[in-house]
Amino acid sequence: MQSLIDKKNRIKELTALLSEASKAYYAEGREIMPNIEYDALYDELLALEQETGIVLSGSPTQNVGYEVISELPKERHQSPMLSLNKTKSVEELQGWLGDKKGILSWKLDGLTIVLTYEGGELKKAVTRGNGEIGEVVTQNAKVFEGLPLKIGFKGELVIRGEAVIKYSDFARINEELPEADAAYKNPRNLCSGSVRQLDPSITKERHVNLIAFQLVKAEGVDFNNSFKQRFEWLREQGFEIVEYTEVDRDSIGAAVEDFKERIASNDFPSDGLVLCYEDVEYGLSLGRTAKFPRNSIAFKWQDETAETVLRKVEWSASRTGLINPIAVFDPVELEGTTVSRASVHNISIVRELGLGIGDRIKVYKANMIIPQIAEDLTKSGSLEIPSVCPVCGGGTEIRRDKEAETLYCTNEDCAAKRIKSFTLMVSRDALNIDGLSEMKLEKFIQAGFIRAFSDLFELERYKEQIVSMEGFGEKSCDNLLSAIEKARDTELYRPLYGLGIPGIGLSGAKLIAKHFDSDYDRIKTADKEELLSIDGIGEVLADAFIAYFSDGGKRSEADRLMDKLRIRTEASDDEGDSVELSIGGESLQVRRDRFAGQTFVITGDVEHFKNRRELQDIIELLGGKASGSVSKKTSFLINNDINSTSSKNKKAKELSVPIMTEEDFIELLRT
């Protein structure tokens, strides 16, 4: 039996441990322990505090969130944003509701934002922060998807909503963003990092959604004391509101079960439900505790766990060099699906769990969606950390990143780090291998099928393994291999562009290929003088080109690739004098030399093109150049905000460089 001193020491230990976990979760957007473990330790601490009457300063049962630490401006909330008391028992929900009616809704797992509207316009957005002080993210909130910037109501309106990133967007973003592999493990963490960006354009790219869940103030509006009417009024103003249903003591059990059955098909993250009193004044009359309001309560899912055996750990290298451990165990049934794999995230968690091959482990699904290891019951701690990268065989090293130990590949030429270079090589303007997406490339690299460009044309030998991969079948594999075979017949400028030589865009590759009559042997041995004789190739590009082919490894890889190709030498004659472009649904026939001798600089957001890169590619396709800075040689600056006071706009005006919008550019294509 524990003595009072033992219990006090345990309280001290739990307070420190949970405070660190809260700091990581709320302030840094990362997790250092599974949710199930945090909840269990929190319940243990709360029980000890109630039993002993001892509550230490800084206890997570008394504090809300954690002090914000970013560079964003801070602001104190008009009223504290408290956490909700929680339960995992439907019977407790029934007892809490009593004979009252309630509103049951999803408990969204994102970042809580307080929004203030004045005169019908969004004036301010502040994060929850530590419950007392939040961070001002108004500019970022203005790019949230589905959030109205103007509403019909002109009085002061204050609402609370949850910024969330959908699972589908999370998967796509993790494929596109190099830093996502290292920094973000779930949609909630990615959302936290996205909302708190100093650059709103990054927030916009990550498709953050705002879902309203509470109306705090609507000046002069009578809602007849109804929580439901508040929701419906917000919907009328143009807000996306959280899904809810009206319940009473008798119907709440079935309602909880209905929500539970739909979790697996949800595209947004949720970690439970929230129950509020439909009678707003009654709920407010109950007051609050030091941490919890009494007018609402959270329902957390009862995590279904299963015991199994850890059979192996796969080490998955990413484009950042980060090597993530993935646990593979005997299949078990969880929440209606079969689970056999779970990400362990980093070395610190491997060591904290005490993992070893053959250990008996307990697994669960976080938020009933994401498989996690809750506990290693054996704790052998015998798992060996690999000393070499599973993709390239290069050395590895353990680094400390935000207090967590992570494993990295030290080889700069690791194929996993070169995913972007492979993506460029198979792109439309390079080898144009239809159906070979970045996600598929990453799978092939992880499997060891691709290490160099030439390996793209050796995938036939792995057909049996490819067909068995998730997302593939006999037909899709045959289609891919057919597209690869078709790509063997190509013009030299395409693989030359695909090599990714710094500064050598599509137009530069065409100029070089044409000058040397598509003779690769002459091109790779070209000297600076001959390169400079090409109109459009300056000293910087010539130096970059020579440096590339002076690197023995890069030159050897390019040689092996060229050996796999059948080069057509009359590309310009075959292609004709014009090219067909499709822009915003409009088809334009444009001369290939339309922008010959002209240099463009692109800045700001684009609206008619996927991104600035697409606009740059079109300029180069039509014989022009795209530069990163404005100079006397600049022909046009493209910026949709002509009146911007940006440095590029100022420089363009100083040098009398014309500034055009995208619309002006498209009109130029029409003429």
Side-chain angles (χ1 to χ4, degrees):
M1 188 172 179
Q2 279 187 313
S3 67
L4 183 60
I5 293 177
D6 290 336
K7 291 175 182 176
K8 182 178 179 180
N9 288 338
R10 181 58 175 164
I11 289 173
K12 184 177 180 181
E13 179 186 358
L14 290 171
T15 297
L17 181 60
L18 293 173
S19 294
E20 181 62 27
S22 294
K23 176 184 176 182
Y25 188 81
Y26 287 107
E28 299 170 2
R30 64 189 181 90
E31 295 178 10
I32 61 174
M33 67 172 64
N35 288 341
I36 191 172
E37 182 180 351
Y38 183 93
D39 288 346
L41 294 177
Y42 182 96
D43 290 343
E44 181 187 353
L45 175 61
L46 184 61
L48 284 170
E49 288 177 342
Q50 292 172 342
E51 180 185 349
T52 63
I54 299 171
V55 180
L56 300 179
S57 174
S59 170
T61 66
Q62 303 301 308
N63 297 334
V64 182
Y66 204 88
E67 189 67 32
V68 293
I69 60 170
S70 78
E71 299 175 41
L72 292 164
K74 312 295 190 301
E75 182 170 303
R76 184 172 294 277
H77 295 298
Q78 290 184 357
S79 57
M81 297 188 65
L82 304 176
S83 297
L84 296 181
N85 200 0
K86 65 182 187 296
T87 180
K88 294 185 178 182
S89 164
V90 172
E91 289 74 18
E92 192 169 334
L93 286 182
Q94 291 173 322
W96 182 89
L97 190 57
D99 60 358
K100 301 292 183 181
K101 289 189 179 297
I103 299 296
L104 187 68
S105 63
W106 293 112
K107 185 175 183 294
L108 301 168
D109 192 19
L111 196 68
T112 300
I113 309 289
V114 182
L115 300 162
T116 301
Y117 287 76
E118 294 175 0
E121 295 187 10
L122 176 63
K123 291 297 182 183
K124 186 169 57 180
V126 184
T127 68
R128 176 178 182 272
N130 68 352
E132 297 284 345
I133 298 173
E135 299 157 300
V136 180
V137 291
T138 310
Q139 294 308 309
N140 291 347
K142 289 180 178 180
V143 300
F144 288 171
E145 293 195 354
L147 179 68
L149 299 181
K150 294 184 178 181
I151 58 176
F153 178 66
K154 302 304 179 185
E156 184 182 8
L157 172 67
V158 181
I159 70 169
R160 291 174 181 174
E162 197 80 354
V164 296
I165 288 179
K166 296 177 180 178
Y167 284 115
S168 54
D169 284 324
F170 173 69
R172 176 187 53 77
I173 291 166
N174 253 357
E175 292 170 14
E176 296 174 355
L177 294 180
E179 70 271 22
D181 289 324
Y184 306 114
K185 306 305 178 187
N186 53 51
R188 194 265 173 200
N189 287 1
L190 176 58
C191 186
S192 175
S194 301
V195 171
R196 298 159 71 221
Q197 285 287 330
L198 299 181
D199 181 358
S201 67
I202 298 176
T203 306
K204 181 179 180 180
E205 290 172 0
R206 297 185 184 176
H207 300 280
V208 177
N209 294 260
L210 194 286
I211 301 176
F213 65 79
Q214 184 180 9
L215 190 155
V216 178
K217 177 182 181 182
E219 191 176 39
V221 182
D222 183 5
F223 296 107
N224 298 312
N225 195 34
S226 168
F227 204 103
K228 180 179 178 179
Q229 284 191 26
R230 291 175 175 230
F231 266 157
E232 293 308 316
W233 184 84
L234 285 176
R235 195 199 302 273
E236 291 171 2
Q237 297 299 317
F239 294 95
E240 181 181 356
I241 63 170
V242 65
E243 182 190 348
Y244 73 91
T245 187
E246 193 170 358
V247 296
D248 57 24
R249 182 188 183 94
D250 295 329
S251 64
I252 193 170
V256 169
E257 193 61 30
D258 175 62
F259 276 106
K260 181 178 179 180
E261 288 176 357
R262 292 186 287 121
I263 290 175
S265 59
N266 277 350
D267 197 21
F268 55 83
S270 167
D271 57 354
L273 302 172
V274 176
L275 178 62
C276 303
Y277 291 110
E278 159 65 358
D279 184 333
V280 176
E281 291 301 325
Y282 173 76
L284 292 176
S285 72
L286 300 176
R288 48 170 280 193
T289 67
K291 184 178 180 182
F292 306 123
R294 291 195 173 100
N295 65 343
S296 53
I297 187 171
F299 177 80
K300 299 278 283 186
W301 306 115
Q302 192 73 254
D303 295 304
E304 181 182 343
T305 62
E307 289 187 21
T308 183
V309 176
L310 180 65
R311 294 302 178 187
K312 66 176 179 177
V313 170
E314 294 177 353
W315 297 88
S316 175
S318 74
R319 65 195 73 178
T320 61
L322 178 70
I323 303 175
N324 282 319
I326 299 172
V328 181
F329 42 83
D330 290 342
V332 291
E333 289 290 320
L334 284 176
E335 314 295 352
T337 62
T338 302
V339 177
S340 61
R341 300 165 64 86
S343 175
V344 189
H345 301 320
N346 57 50
I347 303 301
S348 293
I349 294 178
V350 168
R351 290 174 171 165
E352 181 184 329
L353 289 169
L355 293 182
I357 305 303
D359 284 4
R360 191 147 195 86
I361 59 174
K362 185 182 290 187
V363 296
Y364 75 108
K365 279 187 177 180
N367 293 353
M368 300 179 75
I369 296 287
I370 304 171
Q372 301 276 300
I373 297 178
E375 183 182 1
D376 186 313
L377 302 173
T378 308
K379 285 192 176 295
S380 70
S382 60
L383 183 67
E384 292 187 14
I385 309 301
S387 58
V388 297
C389 172
V391 172
C392 69
T396 63
E397 67 179 15
I398 295 175
R399 302 176 188 171
R400 181 163 286 278
D401 179 23
K402 293 181 181 177
E403 300 181 15
E405 289 186 319
T406 51
L407 187 67
Y408 280 85
C409 172
T410 60
N411 177 17
E412 288 304 317
D413 293 321
C414 177
K417 294 183 182 181
R418 295 179 55 209
I419 184 66
K420 290 296 182 185
S421 66
F422 285 106
T423 303
L424 175 63
M425 181 57 78
V426 304
S427 67
R428 182 191 61 190
D429 292 329
L431 291 179
N432 192 23
I433 301 179
D434 187 38
L436 193 47
S437 66
E438 185 171 316
M439 184 171 65
K440 289 177 181 175
L441 280 169
E442 198 155 14
K443 285 184 177 180
F444 294 159
I445 289 170
Q446 293 290 353
F449 301 165
I450 298 175
R451 289 185 170 84
F453 293 137
S454 58
D455 293 335
L456 293 166
F457 296 92
E458 299 290 339
L459 285 173
E460 173 80 41
R461 69 170 73 174
Y462 302 109
K463 180 177 179 179
E464 187 176 334
Q465 294 99 308
I466 292 173
V467 168
S468 65
M469 283 181 163
E470 184 180 352
F472 279 95
E474 191 83 32
K475 185 175 180 181
S476 61
C477 182
D478 286 342
N479 289 341
L480 176 59
L481 295 176
S482 177
I484 291 172
E485 188 59 32
K486 182 180 177 182
R488 287 185 190 272
D489 296 296
T490 188
E491 298 85 5
L492 182 60
Y493 74 83
R494 290 181 175 276
L496 199 60
Y497 162 66
L499 292 175
I501 302 170
I504 305 297
L506 189 60
S507 60
K510 285 184 175 181
L511 290 172
I512 293 171
K514 185 175 181 180
H515 179 82
F516 289 100
D517 299 321
S518 295
D519 187 335
Y520 174 67
D521 289 333
R522 289 175 59 199
I523 287 175
K524 69 180 181 180
T525 57
D527 59 26
K528 186 173 182 177
E529 184 178 355
E530 188 161 15
L531 288 168
L532 289 175
S533 71
I534 304 172
D535 186 24
I537 301 298
E539 195 157 333
V540 173
L541 295 185
D543 286 341
F545 196 86
I546 291 170
Y548 186 93
F549 283 103
S550 296
D551 184 311
K554 291 178 179 176
R555 179 165 167 172
S556 176
E557 183 175 10
D559 288 347
R560 294 197 303 273
L561 172 64
M562 297 302 174
D563 286 341
K564 302 288 184 182
L565 304 175
R566 294 183 286 266
I567 301 298
R568 293 194 292 259
T569 57
E570 309 241 337
S572 57
D573 293 337
D574 292 341
E575 290 178 341
D577 297 328
S578 63
V579 62
E580 184 175 348
L581 300 174
S582 178
I583 299 174
E586 180 182 2
S587 182
L588 299 173
Q589 201 73 26
V590 188
R591 295 195 326 274
R592 287 187 179 276
D593 62 351
R594 180 67 183 82
F595 297 137
Q598 295 182 322
T599 300
F600 293 77
V601 175
I602 309 165
T603 190
D605 292 334
V606 293
E607 299 170 359
H608 297 282
F609 303 89
K610 282 193 297 186
N611 48 43
R612 283 191 272 182
R613 177 69 198 180
E614 183 182 32
L615 178 53
Q616 177 181 325
D617 288 346
I618 288 174
I619 290 169
E620 293 180 347
L621 180 65
L622 300 177
K625 297 181 198 172
S627 174
S629 58
V630 177
S631 70
K632 291 180 180 179
K633 294 182 179 180
T634 304
S635 307
F636 297 97
L637 171 65
I638 300 176
N639 187 352
N640 284 323
D641 186 359
I642 290 180
N643 298 316
S644 166
T645 57
S646 68
S647 59
K648 287 181 180 175
N649 272 38
K650 288 179 181 178
K651 188 72 172 177
K653 289 174 182 176
E654 287 174 11
L655 299 174
S656 298
V657 172
I659 304 175
M660 63 165 59
T661 64
E662 279 178 87
E663 294 285 358
D664 297 329
F665 177 79
I666 294 170
E667 189 59 38
L668 202 61
L669 293 175
R670 295 189 183 110
T671 58

